[in-house]
Amino acid sequence: MQTTSTLGAPALAAPPASRLRWLGPALGLLLALGALYILTAVYLAGETLLAGAILATLAIAAWVYSSQRLYAYRYLFPGIAAVLIFVVFPILYTVSMSFSNASSRNLLSFQRATQYFLDETYAGEGRSLQFSLYAQGGGYQLRLQDEEAGTAFQAGPLPLDKPDPAKVKAVPASGEPGTEPLPLKDVIRLQPALKALTLQMPDGTELRSTGLRSFGPVNHLYKQEAPGQLKNQQDGSLLTANMRTGFYERADGTAVQPGFQVGIGLEHYRRIFTDEAFREPFLRIFGWTVAFAALTVLFAASLGMLLAVLLTWEALRFRSVYQTLLFLPYAVPGFISILVFKGLFNNNFGEINLILDGLFGIKPAWFSDPLLAKAMLLIVNTWLGYPYMMVICMGLIKAIPADLYEASAVAGAGPLTNFFRITLPLVLKPLTPLLIAAFAFNFNNFVLISLLTNGRPDFLDTKIPAGTTDILVSYTYRMAFEDSGQNFGLAAAVSTVIFAMVALLSWINLRAARVTKEVN
């Protein structure tokens, strides 16, 4: 059989699929190179744990997409990888931080803290030279003026676009620059790069930036004598690294900033559960957190269901108008509603107190009385949550067969009997997962607490700053970013405990729901 080409006819063009066969491997190669570049950058930035996670993800991806046995997992891998990176990794990172002394005073690694001390300098012997900067050839020329000797030196052109440490040689100036020096605002803008610059003069001395307009001789303050030991070049004193406290310490035990991170094992967890100063507010805040979440779900679900029952009453006129008006709170962004309520509950100028003062002659202190502050939180949170419950309940009520109510009416049952014997049992069962999710959400409802009371008023009998309206997540935020010295390790330990509590409560709720389902 002869082919078309052998007969002199033009050869058929290759099908599009075969012509684009190279596109997949090329795209994969580009993605792999990009991922390796990111991996290298993350590792060089000192994030070893994150770099390890990225490397493990890349290795698993290469295995999945190159093995025929794992062909089915190629479609699942992106979702699984997203869960590992955005859910599992943050959890593991938080848990690992809870075993360290990470805080605002112990942020650096041991190597970076050591390098910080080794980079410290002090003014050496010799006079400083005034300098000027000139734009030259896309860079900058630096000109030093020794006014006493009447000499000048120059260096450059220098890039000065990045604050990377560099050592350049200065040579005697060959003449006057032909342009005007840069103004002070440009010199200030280039200060990071100028501070990282070391000028080597013709006589071998090294000059570094000592001010906005001067370079002078400087010496390194510390010199490494041995691993974990630094010697002060000025007074000869020694700094010794204490791997238990995370600080370099002088001979008398005085800690020198900055500190570095070290592992402290279960110290934060021991403090949470055994330290009286910490345990007392923690237990009270935990109790309020559970009560806040449970009461919010109870009030919002009850109000939502009551309104849903009323709005499904066929004889009610203007039902659609009522539905729209009652759903409006859910259409307004939550933070705006919270700030509006904050103004309404203002002790002196809020409309609520003005009305109460006019009717009863009272002006409750909503923000300074702990009990009233908690009541205010529940009122606002119920207002924010009932529209969603109302809509869900209306949909569930519509799904109940009408013949049940007709049979009940024939038997002479009233509205209350219909609600407790027909509506509530048939609505509560499918509503249970939503109630569990609402409880877990309100357990960590940080936005409401932060915008409305910020956890205040504070407890007056605790050593650690804690608020009477704080829930666990806002209490953790105060420890990590506001009070208590920004103790990130302790906040991570509390977050881990909260995570375990929420997981345990959710598991119990799910088990209870399953048991109820099996019984029914």
Side-chain angles (χ1 to χ4, degrees), residues 45 64 171 177 222 259 303 307 344 346 373 432:
V64 169
V171 298
Y222 291 101
L303 183 59
L307 293 174
L344 293 176
N346 185 279
T432 301

Side-chain angles (χ1 to χ4, degrees), residues 103-104 454-456 458 463-467 470 474-488 490-491:
S103 68
S104 57
N454 201 21
R456 269 68 176 184
D458 282 346
K463 297 178 182 177
I464 297 177
D470 263 325
S474 63
Y475 180 48
T476 305
Y477 179 82
R478 290 181 68 169
M479 280 191 297
F481 301 107
E482 291 184 354
D483 305 323
S484 304
Q486 298 186 347
N487 197 331
F488 306 129
L490 182 60

Side-chain angles (χ1 to χ4, degrees), residues 442-494:
N442 285 292
F443 203 88
N444 294 317
N445 195 342
F446 172 78
V447 175
L448 174 68
I449 304 297
S450 177
L451 292 181
L452 194 56
T453 64
N454 201 21
R456 269 68 176 184
D458 282 346
F459 288 114
L460 301 178
D461 56 347
T462 58
K463 297 178 182 177
I464 297 177
T468 54
T469 60
D470 263 325
I471 58 176
L472 286 175
V473 65
S474 63
Y475 180 48
T476 305
Y477 179 82
R478 290 181 68 169
M479 280 191 297
F481 301 107
E482 291 184 354
D483 305 323
S484 304
Q486 298 186 347
N487 197 331
F488 306 129
L490 182 60
V494 176

Side-chain angles (χ1 to χ4, degrees), residues 61 85 126 158 172 194 213-215 277 285 310 314 341 356 384 387 502:
I85 294 173
L158 309 169
L194 291 171
R213 288 294 191 183
S214 62
F215 267 72
I285 290 172
L310 293 176
E314 297 291 340
F341 270 104
L356 293 176
L384 295 173
V502 173

Side-chain angles (χ1 to χ4, degrees), residues 12 33 93 105 162 171 196 437 505:
L12 294 175
L33 291 176
Y93 187 79
R105 301 196 311 163
K162 293 181 180 179
V171 298
L505 291 173

Side-chain angles (χ1 to χ4, degrees), residues 88-148:
V88 177
F89 178 73
I91 293 174
L92 294 179
Y93 187 79
T94 302
V95 173
S96 66
M97 182 176 286
S98 69
F99 298 113
S100 74
N101 66 337
S103 68
S104 57
R105 301 196 311 163
N106 301 81
L107 271 181
L108 304 177
S109 64
F110 174 69
Q111 291 77 11
R112 292 182 66 181
T114 302
Q115 191 60 46
Y116 174 87
F117 286 110
L118 293 177
D119 289 342
E120 279 199 80
T121 58
Y122 66 97
E125 296 181 357
R127 63 177 180 274
S128 297
L129 303 181
Q130 299 296 310
F131 77 91
S132 302
L133 272 181
Y134 299 88
Q136 185 185 56
Y140 301 91
Q141 187 189 63
L142 191 147
R143 183 180 176 88
L144 297 166
Q145 189 71 36
D146 189 343
E147 296 180 352
E148 291 187 9

Side-chain angles (χ1 to χ4, degrees), residues 148-305:
E148 291 187 9
T151 57
F153 303 90
Q154 65 183 33
L158 309 169
L160 299 183
D161 53 349
K162 293 181 180 179
D164 296 332
K167 180 184 287 188
V168 297
K169 289 185 177 180
V171 298
S174 56
E176 293 294 329
T179 59
E180 291 294 322
L182 296 178
L184 182 60
K185 65 175 184 179
D186 290 333
V187 177
I188 294 175
R189 178 174 57 82
L190 297 171
Q191 273 296 300
L194 291 171
K195 285 186 176 297
L197 194 64
T198 301
L199 294 178
Q200 187 172 22
M201 303 302 288
D203 60 357
T205 58
E206 294 184 350
L207 305 182
R208 299 188 66 180
S209 174
T210 56
L212 283 177
R213 288 294 191 183
S214 62
F215 267 72
V218 293
N219 297 320
H220 288 282
L221 182 58
Y222 291 101
K223 178 182 178 183
Q224 190 152 27
E225 285 287 294
Q229 197 170 57
L230 303 175
K231 182 177 182 180
N232 190 309
Q233 301 282 59
Q234 277 187 304
D235 56 19
S237 61
L238 290 176
L239 294 182
T240 304
N242 188 330
M243 304 308 291
R244 187 177 58 83
T245 62
F247 285 100
Y248 273 99
E249 296 178 350
R250 296 191 177 93
D252 59 358
T254 306
V256 182
Q257 296 278 2
F260 50 87
Q261 295 185 36
V262 294
I264 58 172
L266 298 172
E267 176 60 25
H268 290 316
Y269 295 97
R270 184 200 64 75
R271 187 181 174 191
I272 291 173
F273 294 108
T274 62
D275 188 348
E276 188 65 28
F278 188 88
R279 186 175 58 182
E280 188 180 6
F282 182 83
L283 292 178
R284 281 191 276 183
I285 290 172
F286 172 70
W288 161 240
T289 304
V290 175
F292 168 75
L295 290 176
T296 295
V297 173
L298 176 64
F299 293 156
S302 301
L303 183 59
M305 187 175 295

